[in-house]
Amino acid sequence: MTSGRKSPSWWRLWSVQGSFAPDARQWLGWIVALDGTRSDDDRSWVDAEPRALNTNPHLFGVLVGARLGIEESGHADAPELARTITEVLPSTLGAIGDRLIWTGVRPAAVAVAAALAPWSGPAAAVGAWVVFAVAQGWFRDWTFTWARRHGAAVAGEINRLPLHAIADRARGIGAFAVGFATIATVLEWPSTESLMAAGPAAVGALVAGSVLVWRRADPFWSVLAALVVASVAVGTVG
Amino acid sequence: MIAGVVLGAVAGLDRTAFGQTLLAHPFVAANVSGWIAGSPDTGLRAGVLFWMLSAGRVPVGETRIRDWTTAAVVLPWCVPDTAPDAARGLVFLSTLVVALVGGAAIRGIRDVARRSIEGWRSRPVIGRGDPAALHLGLTSLHALRGAMLTALAIVIGRGLVALDLTTPGTFLGEIMGVTWALAPWALLPLLWRAHGDLGRSRAPWGWMVGGAVSALVLGLVLRGGA
């Protein structure tokens, strides 16, 4: 272990998923990120790393930062701490990040854009994309620096950040926007002659889709089956 | 069409390989695509449908991978805003095949990654080479996949529209028109369940109902004002 590592280039932190594989998961992305912190070509350290690694990509910088912070601390037990944090932290970050990003902020951003879209057109979607991209870029950078400063203490300190509260708030906003967008977009769907003739079929498709979805059948095939059957029935009768 | 292919490549990267900046979300991808293609209305409606189909799915570590991103990029390039609903319905159903093919291609790239990583690890340390080169090579495959699939799907989709299979009054024309009209109704439960399941309590359902009532009230107010 050496102290005074350089920060990895941003693309190494943003592309951890690029070489995702079924067994090793994000292992190669992890190796590439660590390799970017070293100045020599000796890669014998690679074989000491875990054989597989998986975490939330938006919080990947926390893992890299914590590892660097430990290695730069110069403590006698730094190698053991580095090994432990690499094994334990990914699943913790995965759980937090999935809740914060995948089921929190991301769907909320899209739902708000969808609710505004009938008035704004594509600008709402573009705006949501730009805001989310800038925010997550800042978040990745800030959390990397924060984790590097805290080192091994990250495992405890991360629960002091208001990430769970942000996730809960985003879910509420997202659900409200979904309800709003449902009325704003679906009820304003262009009514065609065929749909006017098929008012009951619209209700039938909604009921059939609901039953299949709630029975947790594969949504792709079950909902499409409901759609196609309803369409053929209405098209034939109409 | 070149702009569409470039967008397909960038969105293919953004989907799981690089950044995950929201561009690859089907709603955003369809709207951006529709804007560039000059068919914003088709883009908005395609975005809504693919948003519903993809709701609740996390684009990382999926078991059933479907490439809704490429499907969302393709649709606005095949049917302009002036196209009849039947043509939109036909291309919409066709792009579902794109989602399946794209998903299979992503699984294929991940399998290539698995074998490449195993091969890299099995070599002696000195002969392994720079891991970043392998990593970037595998990452760029996602852009290549997005570009190639988008180009192919746009060509096929435009060909389908050019065949004029959905002339109003014909059997297929009637069915495809109804498909487009019914699609949001059939897919809506996917969106509701996804957002209802995001929380551990029933609170999201209350928020959803609140949002729907707000939209209804706002709609009544706006129409009353008009």
Side-chain angles (χ1 to χ4, degrees):
Chain A
M1 300 280 177
T2 58
S3 59
R5 293 277 167 73
K6 58 180 180 177
S7 295
S9 309
W10 67 276
W11 65 265
R12 293 179 191 260
L13 297 179
W14 284 46
S15 68
V16 61
Q17 287 277 133
S19 52
F20 187 92
D23 298 331
R25 319 288 278 185
Q26 300 161 338
W27 180 83
L28 186 56
W30 166 244
I31 296 300
V32 167
L34 282 188
D35 196 48
T37 68
R38 294 168 181 265
S39 305
D40 54 53
D41 289 334
D42 176 18
R43 296 198 176 93
S44 54
W45 55 272
V46 167
D47 290 334
E49 296 299 318
R51 301 286 289 175
L53 186 135
N54 197 39
T55 193
N56 181 280
H58 294 91
L59 285 171
F60 178 62
V62 174
L63 183 62
V64 179
R67 175 70 179 259
L68 283 188
I70 293 168
E71 294 184 359
E72 289 169 333
S73 68
H75 288 162
D77 56 353
E80 180 62 21
L81 271 177
R83 192 178 63 78
T84 304
I85 208 87
T86 307
E87 288 175 356
V88 173
L89 200 54
S91 58
T92 304
L93 296 177
I96 294 172
D98 288 355
R99 191 173 173 203
L100 176 69
I101 304 292
W102 298 128
T103 67
V105 175
R106 188 174 185 266
V110 171
V112 169
L116 296 173
W119 293 277
S120 68
V126 174
W129 170 37
V130 171
V131 170
F132 185 89
V134 170
Q136 66 99 31
W138 172 84
F139 181 71
R140 284 174 189 258
D141 187 59
W142 185 84
T143 50
F144 169 75
T145 307
W146 173 85
R148 190 172 189 175
R149 193 169 66 244
H150 283 86
V154 158
E157 288 292 319
I158 194 151
N159 288 317
R160 296 164 72 95
L161 297 177
L163 302 181
H164 292 299
I166 293 171
D168 287 342
R169 186 63 57 88
R171 269 201 294 275
I173 293 170
F176 183 89
V178 163
F180 194 98
T182 296
I183 299 299
T185 60
V186 177
L187 288 186
E188 292 295 326
W189 203 261
S191 50
T192 60
E193 281 186 18
S194 47
L195 181 60
M196 296 303 285
V203 178
L206 183 62
V207 171
S210 301
V211 170
L212 290 163
V213 166
W214 256 269
R215 286 180 64 84
R216 298 190 182 268
D218 179 356
F220 184 87
W221 297 112
S222 55
V223 173
L224 284 179
L227 176 61
V228 170
V229 168
S231 300
V232 171
V234 173
T236 306
V237 173
Chain B
M1 180 174 156
I2 292 173
V5 174
V6 171
L7 179 62
V10 176
L13 264 183
D14 190 76
R15 188 182 179 279
T16 58
F18 187 90
Q20 281 126 339
T21 64
L22 203 66
L23 172 64
H25 191 287
F27 181 78
V28 177
N31 273 281
V32 172
S33 184
W35 202 5
I36 297 171
S39 47
D41 185 65
T42 303
L44 169 61
R45 295 182 194 292
V48 169
L49 294 182
F50 289 118
W51 174 38
M52 291 172 172
L53 274 164
S54 65
R57 300 197 74 86
V58 173
V60 179
E62 298 162 291
T63 49
R64 271 192 220 117
I65 303 172
R66 270 126 202 191
D67 183 10
W68 301 118
T69 304
T70 307
V73 168
V74 164
L75 205 153
W77 287 89
C78 300
V79 275
D81 284 352
T82 52
D85 284 355
R88 296 193 200 194
L90 178 65
V91 177
F92 169 63
L93 286 184
S94 307
T95 51
L96 300 181
V97 179
V98 174
L100 289 177
V101 173
I106 291 171
R107 282 196 300 275
I109 291 174
R110 289 180 174 178
D111 202 44
V112 169
R114 180 178 59 78
R115 279 182 273 131
S116 303
I117 291 170
E118 283 173 2
W120 191 85
R121 280 168 165 172
S122 66
R123 287 186 215 123
V125 172
I126 292 178
R128 280 176 180 169
D130 188 352
L134 175 61
H135 177 69
L136 288 175
L138 292 168
T139 303
S140 62
L141 287 181
H142 288 279
L144 188 64
R145 175 197 62 79
M148 290 177 64
L149 187 58
T150 302
L152 185 65
I154 290 176
V155 169
I156 293 175
R158 285 181 171 178
L160 275 176
V161 174
L163 286 175
D164 210 16
L165 298 170
T166 53
T167 308
T170 63
F171 180 66
L172 192 61
E174 290 295 316
I175 290 175
M176 290 300 122
V178 175
T179 294
W180 182 255
L182 290 183
W185 295 96
L187 303 180
L188 192 54
L190 290 173
L191 185 65
W192 285 345
R193 195 191 79 179
H195 279 265
D197 280 357
L198 289 180
R200 291 176 185 157
S201 67
R202 294 181 178 220
W205 290 101
W207 282 109
M208 262 192 277
V209 172
V213 171
S214 301
L216 277 174
V217 171
L218 183 65
L220 289 174
V221 169
L222 289 176
R223 287 187 186 184

